[in-house]
């Protein structure tokens, strides 16, 4: 992968990380504000709690994505970005563009998923 590609992915990942971090901060503010509201109606309270639970579930997913983005940014610094962790072959640019946080080529990822499927059975 050439330096132009590295710069592209570094910028892409950093922009995504910044956006997710900003959303996370806004969520904390929103949930703090919602916590101060006391609704007498049980249905209103249940609706608010359900909405908060959904928000927290989304943020949990985003938290996992933040971790993967940070790992990808670190691998760029280390010079290992775009190299499959299993077979150590370069991951095609097209795959990285569709999933910038991936650390496996499609072949190795398919093998891992097949093993995981077998383990669940």
């Amino acid at each position: 992968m050439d330096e132009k590609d590295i710069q592209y992915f570094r910028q892409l990942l950093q922009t995504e990380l910044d956006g997710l971090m900003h959303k996370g901060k806004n969520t904390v503010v929103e949930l703090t504000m919602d916590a101060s509201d006391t609704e007498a109606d049980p249905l209103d309270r249940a609706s608010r709690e359900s909405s908060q639970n959904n928000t927290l579930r989304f943020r949990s997913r985003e938290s996992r994505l933040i971790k993967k983005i940070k790992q990808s940014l670190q691998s760029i610094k280390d010079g290992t970005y775009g190299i499959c962790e299993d077979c150590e072959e370069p991951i095609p640019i097209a795959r990285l563009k569709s999933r910038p946080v991936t650390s496996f080529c499609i072949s190795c990822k398919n093998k891992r998923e097949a093993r995981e499927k077998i383990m669940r059975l």
Side-chain angles (χ1 to χ4, degrees):
M1 185 178 321
D2 63 23
E3 187 59 33
K4 182 180 174 186
D5 291 329
I6 294 291
Q7 284 298 103
Y8 169 81
F9 288 112
R10 180 182 291 126
Q11 182 62 40
L12 181 73
L13 290 162
Q14 190 62 54
T15 300
E16 183 71 16
L17 179 62
D18 293 344
L20 290 170
M21 297 298 280
H22 182 72
K23 277 170 110 176
K25 289 177 186 175
N26 286 343
T27 299
V28 171
V29 171
E30 290 170 12
L31 291 175
T32 303
M33 290 175 62
D34 286 348
S36 64
D37 294 340
T38 54
E39 292 152 350
D41 183 34
L43 291 176
D44 288 342
R45 199 168 38 249
S47 176
R48 179 178 46 83
E49 289 173 5
S50 176
S51 177
Q52 287 175 339
N53 286 338
N54 286 334
T55 299
L56 291 172
R57 196 171 312 118
F58 291 137
R59 295 304 172 254
S60 177
R61 282 189 194 139
E62 289 173 350
S63 177
R64 289 190 298 273
L65 180 55
I66 286 170
K67 182 179 177 183
K68 288 180 181 181
I69 290 172
K70 287 181 177 180
Q71 289 170 339
S72 294
L73 288 169
Q74 184 60 46
S75 72
I76 288 173
K77 288 179 185 175
D78 298 341
T80 59
Y81 183 76
I83 305 296
C84 178
E85 287 183 13
D86 283 353
C87 69
E88 298 181 357
E89 293 294 321
I91 300 170
I93 297 291
R95 173 147 170 80
L96 290 171
K97 284 185 176 180
S98 67
R99 182 88 172 132
V101 296
T102 193
S103 55
F104 302 102
C105 68
I106 197 72
S107 176
C108 290
K109 182 64 175 174
N110 286 339
K111 289 175 188 174
R112 282 177 165 263
E113 288 176 353
R115 278 182 285 195
E116 288 171 7
K117 186 176 181 181
I118 291 171
M119 298 298 282
R120 282 182 276 185
L121 297 176

